[in-house]
Amino acid sequence: MILQEFEKKNVTIGMFLDLSKAYDCVNLKYLLIKLEKYGIRGKAHKWIESYLLERKQQVIINENRSKIVVKERGLAQGSNAGPIFFIIYINDLIMDGMVNYVDDTNILVSGKTLSEVTEEAGASLSGICSWFNRNELALNASKTNIMVFRTKNSRINLGDSINLNGEEMKPVPETRFLGVHIDEFLDWNNHVEKTGLRLSSIGYGIRVVSRYMDEKTLKILYHANFESVLRYGIVFWGCSSSIQLLFIIQKRTIRAPG
């Protein structure tokens, strides 16, 4: 989406929103209403209601026990159903340029000039904050990042901050989104550098244990720990001019004695 705006010579502002304790703030009664509107009714609805409501929890340390507390809101952390219920909860949050992945909510706004984009981004942020308030979710302003995507040849003076919906927010040169480091020019060098540091550490570990494992076990270790990191998101950042660094680290790891 951002590259398409680059082709049109547009400026794009990305707002990477962070929710405070997203799962813990979910209003379970609101969730049940939304489930019913999406067609989950009757016995299926009652079954889910019995799972969500009146969940009890207690802390036990040795012989000491806390009081049993009934949770009135929030989804169970670490459950398989939790992410699905959260997706359903925010499914009616619809806005142009929005990209959602469970509790990661992001908005992309584009335009010909920075002032035009800033005004539209402020309106979008106002709309999304209103939705959060109605659904009893809280935006964590301190961890919310904004980034102005542009080409290196563009002559845009960002200044120290951008006013969005009355909030002075400082643009960041990079941010991390779903495990991928994104920078304001989309050149991916920063992601390659950070991935290289991580792969070097993993490669060192593989070389250390290679003296005690056979080749078959080492291959399993390599594919599970090294190659999975190397391949993650490569469809986006694989065109980086600095990718040769990762190939060097990969060759060094593969040549580990085993």
Side-chain angles (χ1 to χ4, degrees):
M1 292 170 66
I2 298 168
L3 288 174
Q4 287 175 354
E5 297 303 326
F6 279 0
E7 293 292 332
K8 299 174 186 176
K9 297 183 179 180
N10 285 344
V11 181
T12 299
I13 287 182
M15 293 181 284
F16 298 83
L17 311 179
D18 183 84
L19 293 172
S20 296
K21 298 182 178 179
Y23 279 47
D24 294 333
C25 292
V26 170
N27 186 312
L28 299 178
K29 292 182 180 179
Y30 288 2
L31 174 58
L32 288 168
I33 292 172
K34 293 184 181 190
L35 286 168
E36 188 171 14
K37 289 184 179 295
Y38 288 134
I40 300 176
R41 303 184 180 97
K43 291 182 179 179
H45 192 272
K46 287 289 185 183
W47 179 57
I48 294 174
E49 181 180 346
S50 68
Y51 170 78
L52 292 173
L53 298 183
E54 296 184 5
R55 295 181 68 91
K56 299 176 181 179
Q57 62 183 34
Q58 183 183 45
V59 178
I60 302 175
I61 302 176
N62 297 328
E63 301 300 322
N64 302 311
R65 296 171 178 259
S66 70
K67 292 181 179 179
I68 297 176
V69 177
V70 178
K71 289 191 66 176
E72 297 180 352
R73 65 169 55 233
L75 298 169
Q77 296 285 344
S79 64
N80 291 330
I84 298 172
F85 284 137
F86 190 84
I87 290 170
I88 293 171
Y89 192 75
I90 65 170
N91 189 60
D92 57 310
L93 173 58
I94 302 172
M95 194 169 292
D96 290 339
M98 178 169 288
V99 180
N100 277 342
Y101 188 85
V102 193
D103 58 340
D104 278 304
T105 302
N106 310 284
I107 305 172
L108 297 175
V109 181
S110 301
K112 291 297 181 184
T113 64
L114 182 60
S115 58
E116 174 191 339
V117 179
T118 301
E119 185 177 348
E120 188 176 344
S124 298
L125 185 61
S126 175
I128 200 169
C129 285
S130 296
W131 188 94
F132 285 153
N133 290 334
R134 291 195 304 272
N135 288 270
E136 299 185 3
L137 296 176
L139 182 67
N140 188 340
S142 64
K143 291 186 178 180
T144 293
N145 292 325
I146 65 165
M147 186 181 295
V148 180
F149 294 102
R150 62 202 189 281
T151 62
K152 292 183 178 180
N153 296 325
S154 62
R155 299 177 181 178
I156 299 176
N157 183 16
L158 293 181
D160 295 329
S161 62
I162 294 178
N163 188 296
L164 293 180
N165 193 33
E167 289 278 344
E168 290 293 331
M169 305 185 74
K170 184 178 179 180
V172 296
E174 64 166 290
T175 191
R176 190 168 182 265
F177 174 56
L178 299 179
V180 177
H181 297 272
I182 303 175
D183 66 87
E184 56 192 342
F185 301 118
L186 290 187
D187 63 11
W188 303 109
N189 291 334
N190 186 55
H191 177 80
V192 171
E193 181 182 345
K194 286 183 166 57
T195 302
L197 292 173
R198 187 177 176 191
L199 290 176
S200 293
S201 178
I202 296 170
Y204 173 76
I206 291 176
R207 289 195 299 275
V208 169
V209 301
S210 65
R211 292 169 290 179
Y212 311 104
M213 294 182 178
D214 57 28
E215 184 178 337
K216 183 178 179 180
T217 306
L218 281 173
K219 283 183 178 180
I220 295 172
L221 194 65
Y222 167 81
H223 289 298
N225 294 276
F226 190 98
E227 189 175 358
S228 61
V229 173
L230 179 63
R231 286 181 174 271
Y232 182 75
I234 198 171
V235 66
F236 302 109
W237 56 264
C239 58
S240 171
S241 59
S242 58
I243 196 171
Q244 189 64 27
L245 167 69
L246 303 186
F247 293 150
I248 294 172
I249 298 171
Q250 182 187 36
K251 288 178 181 178
R252 189 167 63 232
T253 303
I254 291 174
R255 289 171 182 165

